Structures are given as structure tokens and as C-alpha cells.
């Protein structure tokens, strides 16, 4: 395992680290767990019957994660078949965030490369404050230590992900086949803290993107994987923009009735913010924003107006993201902006340093020959 400091200092909001792990999935799981333990993570109690069913589901449908859980058990000195503790979920993400994303298809790109651009918007306070309490002495803002994680397994797809606080989760990710995934809050008007955050059988919200970059090479495979997967969100639904190196893209989301939806715009740019697209498919017929919607409709309209009927370069896409950044006066900040280039198998991120300052664009590759 190799860790490098790539951005920020103790005077800035974040310190960003890039972690590269190579080897078998058991070894990768052990190394990630060791780093999570160093950061203060501890395994979570789980109802034994649920835990047994979780392991069985992962073994059948996501063997890479199942093997990494065996590595976590090694790091913890536990029997991997024990039933009392969930030994994945290497972090914690509370309710509430607002984000914006834009898929530019190859036909609308200046160089023929389809690209995703996204702003990751989140609170700049501690977990205690997010949950309504006072910060503990020395408690850091919960999003102030993001990681970029490159995994290069002996068997399977190499990938690079950006994560806020889950070392086995993913907010932004791309793999060596060129499949890219990013998550956003799907219904900001209905967001509320979960009543019960205990692990369930299947994929949690932040595991789902990691599942896709581990198991899928293109959009067609991703659709089939999602249709066949068991998912849960603790009452805080997210939606996911998925794209591939062949220029295909879709948004995956669930309705309030639990029905699954695939949203596609063909050759047109695909704008995503924080409301269900299947309920509001026309960007020109969106409701007005209220104090509870945190600008989700306005941000989507702004992205649509900037992208419709034009050719966009990578720089133009960055300008679109800058136009919908969260203001310094609001409860959120745009903590990073990422541009995915599936054809090049790269993601490029710029991280918030504080007071309107951002890092230069940092480029990370998902290719197997990524230097250690």
C-alpha cells in the first residue's frame, strides 16, 4: 500500500490523500481496513441472520467485496464467518447533500470524448453538528479528509475512486475499462436522517458505485447488474450517473414506490442535480425552487442552458461546473469538482481549500500501469 499527500494542509479545509493498493482482493481488503482502523473506524454490530445473508449475497454477486471482507477479518483478527459484526462499511456518511452533474456525449464534445462533470456538495461541519449536536473536542469536519483510492487487483478491474469517508465506498469512480459512476442525492426535498442505519442485505448507497466499477465494463453490463442487484438506502435515496468509454450514459434512480428507473437522453447532454429525473424529464418545465430544494431545479436549468445545442471542450465543462457551485453563504460547499474522461480512463478533481479557493486540477488514472 502506498499513500501520498496530494492536496491541502492543516491551514486548509481538507487534507487529500491518494492511496494505491495492489495485490489480491484479500490483501486489498486487509490494507484498506488497516487504514480505516487508523482513522478510528470500528466494525458495526449486525443481526446475525442478516449478516449471514449479507455474506452469502456478496459471495454470489460481488465476490471481489466478499474477498476484501476476508481481508478485513484478517486485519481485525476475526473469523471471517463470524455473525455478530459487519466488517465492511469502512466509514460513515450522514444524511443530506446537494450535487450537480452533467454528461456531455461524444457528439457534443470538442474532441469526441464523452465526459462527465460533477460537483460534490456537502457540509463543512462535524458529524456531531450534522446530527444536531455540538462538536466533540478536537472533532474534525467530517468531509475534511477525503481519499482518492486506486486499487489494482491481481484478478479483476483496476479502478480509481474518490470517497469522502468510506474507504470501501465510492462517490466518484472509474475503472480501466472506462466505466465511470458518480452519485448524487436523488430527492433533496425528502432528505432526512435515517432512523436505522444498520447494515442490510445487498448494496448500500455508497457501495453501489464501487460494485459497478468492480464488476462492469460498459453501460449495458451496468444496467443488467443494477436490475439484478439488491439495494437499500436507509430512506435517503441517491441516483447515479453512469457512462462508458463507448459514449453511452444513463441515470439510475428509484421512485418513491421503489420502482427502478433508467433515464437516458440519447445524443443530448444529460443534466443531473438533486430531484428525480423520471418525475421531471423536461428541463424547461421544472418547478420553482423553495428553501427546501437548495436550488436543485435552478442548477439543472443552468446546466441545461449552457450545454444544449453546443459543442463543449473539457474547459467548457469546467466552466459549467463553476457556474453551479454552492455559494459561500449556504450550508454546503462544493467540496470537489471532478471531470471524468472514460476514453482516457481518467478522473480529474479540484478540491475546495476554503474561502472560495480550490486546488489546481489533479489528474488520476484508472489504468493498470498507474505508478505506485
Amino acid at each position: 500500500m502506498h499513500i501520498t499527500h496530494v492536496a491541502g494542509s492543516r491551514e486548509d479545509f481538507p487534507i487529500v490523500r491518494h492511496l494505491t493498493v495492489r495485490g489480491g482482493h484479500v490483501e486489498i481488503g486487509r490494507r484498506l481496513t488497516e487504514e480505516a482502523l487508523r482513522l478510528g473506524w470500528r466494525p458495526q454490530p449486525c443481526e446475525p441472520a442478516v449478516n449471514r445473508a449479507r455474506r452469502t449475497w456478496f459471495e454470489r454477486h460481488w465476490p471481489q467485496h466478499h474477498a476484501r471482507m476476508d481481508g478485513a477479518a484478517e486485519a481485525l483478527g476475526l473469523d471471517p464467518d463470524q455473525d455478530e459484526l459487519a466488517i465492511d462499511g469502512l466509514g460513515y456518511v450522514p444524511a443530506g447533500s446537494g450535487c450537480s452533474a452533467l454528461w456531455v456525449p461524444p457528439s457534443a464534445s470538442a474532441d469526441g470524448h464523452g465526459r462527465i462533470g460533477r460537483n460534490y456538495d456537502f457540509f463543512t461541519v462535524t458529524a456531531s453538528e450534522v446530527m444536531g449536536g455540538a462538536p466533540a473536542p478536537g472533532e474534525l469536519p467530517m468531509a475534511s479528509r477525503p481519499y482518492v483510492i486506486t486499487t489494482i487487483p491481481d484478478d479483476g478491474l483496476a479502478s480509481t475512486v474518490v470517497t469522502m469517508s468510506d474507504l470501501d465506498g465510492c462517490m466518484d469512480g472509474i475503472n480501466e475499462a472506462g466505466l465511470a459512476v458518480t452519485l448524487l442525492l436523488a430527492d433533496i426535498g425528502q432528505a432526512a436522517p435515517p432512523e436505522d442505519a444498520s447494515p442490510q442485505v445487498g448494496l448500500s448507497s455508497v457501495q453501489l458505485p464501487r460494485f459497478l466499477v468492480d464488476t462492469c465494463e460498459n453501460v449495458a453490463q451496468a444496467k443488467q447488474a443494477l436490475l439484478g442487484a439488491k439495494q437499500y438506502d436507509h430512506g435517503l435515496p441517491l441516483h447515479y450517473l453512469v457512462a462508458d468509454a463507448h459514449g453511452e450514459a444513463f441515470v439510475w434512480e428509484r421512485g418513491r414506490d421503489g420502482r427502478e428507473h433508467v433515464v437516458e437522453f440519447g445524443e443530448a447532454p444529460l443534466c443531473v442535480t438533486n430531484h428525480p429525473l423520471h418525475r421531471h424529464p423536461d428541463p424547461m418545465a421544472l418547478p420553482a425552487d423553495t428553501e427546501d430544494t437548495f436550488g436543485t431545479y435552478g442548477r439543472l436549468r443552468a446546466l441545461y442552458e449552457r450545454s444544449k445545442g453546443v459543442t463543449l471542450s473539457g474547459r467548457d465543462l469546467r466552466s459549467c461546473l463553476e457556474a453551479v457551485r454552492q455559494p459561500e453563504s449556504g450550508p454546503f460547499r462544493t467540496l470537489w469538482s471532478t471531470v471524468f474522461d472514460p476514453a482516457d480512463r481518467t478522473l480529474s478533481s479540484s478540491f475546495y481549500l476554503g474561502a472560495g479557493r480550490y486546488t489546481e486540477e489533479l489528474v488520476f488514472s484508472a489504468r493498470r500501469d498507474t505508478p505506485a
Side-chain angles (χ1 to χ4, degrees), residues 35-50:
E35 181 66 4
L37 288 167
R38 187 186 70 81
L39 298 170
W41 171 84
R42 294 297 180 269
Q44 183 177 355
C46 188
E47 200 280 318
V50 172

Side-chain angles (χ1 to χ4, degrees), residues 73-288:
E74 283 187 11
L76 292 161
L78 295 174
D79 180 347
D81 293 328
Q82 60 80 37
D83 295 328
E84 290 74 27
L85 296 172
I87 54 178
D88 60 342
L90 306 179
Y92 175 69
V93 177
S97 65
C99 306
S100 306
L102 171 62
W103 160 249
V104 178
S107 60
S109 171
D111 61 1
H113 285 208
R115 288 183 176 87
I116 295 174
R118 78 92 107 248
N119 288 340
Y120 184 78
D121 304 336
F122 201 78
F123 300 102
T124 56
V125 298
T126 65
S128 297
E129 291 169 291
V130 169
M131 302 307 289
E139 185 178 7
L140 293 170
M142 66 170 304
S144 64
R145 297 295 184 267
Y147 275 73
V148 180
I149 302 176
T150 298
T151 53
I152 306 174
D154 295 338
D155 181 20
L157 293 163
S159 63
T160 292
V161 306
V162 184
T163 182
M164 187 184 81
S165 58
D166 281 57
L167 297 189
D168 59 349
C170 171
M171 282 72 194
D172 295 343
I174 189 168
N175 66 24
E176 64 179 322
L179 185 84
V181 189
T182 190
L183 63 77
L184 305 90
L185 188 65
D187 198 346
I188 199 166
Q190 300 294 314
E195 295 182 4
D196 179 5
S198 59
Q200 301 298 312
V201 180
L203 301 168
S204 73
S205 297
V206 298
Q207 288 176 331
L208 187 150
R210 166 58 85 178
F211 166 72
L212 291 181
V213 298
D214 273 354
T215 64
C216 300
E217 297 185 2
N218 54 52
V219 155
Q221 290 178 8
K223 289 178 185 176
Q224 287 300 304
L226 289 169
L227 287 167
K230 187 175 176 64
Q231 305 162 39
Y232 64 97
D233 57 26
H234 293 307
L236 186 72
L238 305 184
H239 51 189
Y240 306 84
L241 176 54
V242 184
D244 65 21
H246 307 290
E248 301 295 324
F250 70 98
V251 170
W252 175 265
E253 61 188 19
R254 288 178 177 270
R256 293 179 184 174
D257 60 357
R259 183 181 175 186
E260 298 159 330
H261 296 269
V262 173
V263 180
E264 298 174 288
F265 274 31
E267 289 297 308
L270 181 51
C271 308
V272 195
T273 52
N274 308 117
H275 58 273
L277 294 185
H278 70 274
R279 292 175 56 199
H280 300 285
D282 184 355
M284 301 306 295
L286 297 173

Side-chain angles (χ1 to χ4, degrees), residues 280-334:
H280 300 285
D282 184 355
M284 301 306 295
L286 297 173
D289 278 303
T290 69
E291 62 180 12
D292 296 324
T293 62
F294 292 99
T296 180
Y297 302 119
R299 282 182 280 118
L300 192 143
R301 276 191 292 266
L303 290 174
Y304 178 74
E305 290 291 345
R306 283 175 168 267
S307 61
K308 68 175 182 179
V310 299
T311 299
L312 297 177
S313 66
R315 185 180 297 274
D316 295 331
L317 181 53
R318 279 283 181 202
S319 296
C320 291
L321 297 178
E322 290 173 7
V324 294
R325 277 182 183 169
Q326 292 291 335
E328 291 286 321
S329 58
F332 306 138
R333 297 292 183 275
T334 297

